Amino acid sequence: MKNFKLLCALAPVHKALAAIVLVACGAASAQSITMASTTSTEQSGLFSHLLPEFKKASGLDVKVVALGTGQALDTARRGDADVLFVHDQAAEEKFVADGWAVKRYPVMYNDFILVGPKADPVGTKGKDIVEALKKLATSNGEFVSRGDKSGTHAAELRYWKLAGVEASKGSGYKECGCGMGPALNIAASSGAYVLADRGTWLNFKNRADLTVLVEGDTRLFNQYGVMVVNPAKHAHVKAQDAQKFVDWVVSPAGQNVIAAYKIGGEQLFFPNAAK
């Protein structure tokens, strides 16, 4: 009986403590958002430069889930992200048209490059990505495709189609189903060619015998966009806090932080939210 009375006396205290814990957990949760993003923004080192500046400005933490763009969009469709930072404009526009986001915001760009062995056994070097892929297909050159439905993979498939060899890429064509960094590692270790985004390439340390062989083709333009996941699809989405990130990253302050990110004096991404 005494123990029962003691438990009854302590019950309000336990309830108060539980309430405090729940409030504290809720406050901590409210101070962070989840961003599903392409691997290139993560592996290029941009986010380690960008996100601390956003936290200084907003007080919000951003938890990054780095995936290929296709997987990032799927993550958002499941309601497992509050905001997206990706680079497949056609897929992004369809995402908005299907109601998963209210608006897409252009934020920055860089370009894709064809990387391969310095000796360039297939003779791809130049400015024309389509001609380079034709040569790779006809000569059965070793090529590593990400094969992961990422923005880079989507771009690569467009270039194969333009080259007229999408159904016959040659026996050297291999899909790794992996991110940009691992794909570059495979190419470096096997002396293969690979399509890469310039940002990840500039931050890539294990280059071995790889070098940039094709660049400067206007078709290699690589645009990035940001979108808040529509709370009408998933009520738990932190749309207001996610919009704070979007508003900041497309503002002069956020755009200046993007422009300031350089490796070896070379700028990796070029802000264009105002255009």
Side-chain angles (χ1 to χ4, degrees), residues 15 56 63 74 81 105 114 119 121 129 136 138 157 163 195 199 204 223 230 237-238 257 264:
K15 286 181 180 177
K56 286 179 190 176
K63 300 173 182 176
D74 286 342
Y105 301 77
L114 184 70
I129 186 61
L136 279 162
T138 56
L157 293 178
L195 185 76
F204 182 62
Q223 177 71 49
N230 191 349
V237 165
K238 300 173 187 174
V257 175

Side-chain angles (χ1 to χ4, degrees), residues 90-172:
E92 293 163 43
E93 290 172 349
K94 186 177 188 306
F95 188 83
V96 173
D98 291 344
W100 294 104
V102 175
K103 185 177 179 180
R104 172 190 175 275
Y105 301 77
V107 60
M108 65 186 191
Y109 70 92
N110 64 359
D111 62 340
F112 294 113
I113 50 179
L114 184 70
V115 172
K118 289 178 183 176
D120 190 20
V122 175
T124 62
K125 189 171 179 61
K127 201 174 174 181
D128 193 324
I129 186 61
V130 171
E131 285 303 313
L133 292 184
K134 284 180 182 177
K135 290 178 180 178
L136 279 162
T138 56
S139 64
N140 295 315
E142 296 291 322
F143 183 91
V144 178
S145 170
R146 285 180 56 175
D148 63 348
K149 298 183 180 178
S150 62
T152 303
H153 182 221
E156 177 212 314
L157 293 178
R158 288 196 300 272
Y159 304 144
W160 286 115
K161 187 173 182 179
L162 286 170
V165 292
E166 58 182 324
S168 55
K169 303 178 185 74
S171 60

Side-chain angles (χ1 to χ4, degrees), residues 38-83:
T38 173
T39 59
S40 59
T41 41
E42 175 78 0
Q43 293 174 356
S44 65
L46 175 67
F47 283 158
S48 61
H49 167 80
L50 183 73
L51 298 183
E53 295 302 317
F54 171 64
K55 185 173 182 179
K56 286 179 190 176
S58 67
L60 291 167
D61 280 311
V62 180
K63 300 173 182 176
V64 177
V65 180
L67 303 159
T69 289
Q71 293 172 307
L73 293 170
D74 286 342
T75 296
R77 288 188 188 96
R78 292 194 301 270
D80 293 332
D82 304 302
V83 65

Side-chain angles (χ1 to χ4, degrees), residues 173-238:
Y173 177 89
K174 301 290 187 295
E175 292 187 349
C176 68
C178 61
M180 194 71 260
L184 282 165
N185 276 320
I186 293 168
S189 64
S190 61
Y193 294 80
V194 61
L195 185 76
D197 70 278
R198 192 181 293 272
T200 305
W201 168 253
L202 289 173
N203 199 39
F204 182 62
K205 304 297 190 295
N206 183 34
R207 296 186 180 184
D209 192 43
L210 296 182
T211 190
V212 177
L213 295 171
V214 179
E215 60 184 330
D217 190 326
T218 57
R219 292 168 292 195
L220 291 169
F221 179 79
N222 181 27
Q223 177 71 49
Y224 289 80
V226 288
M227 299 176 287
V228 176
V229 178
N230 191 349
K233 292 285 191 180
H234 296 288
H236 64 271
V237 165
K238 300 173 187 174

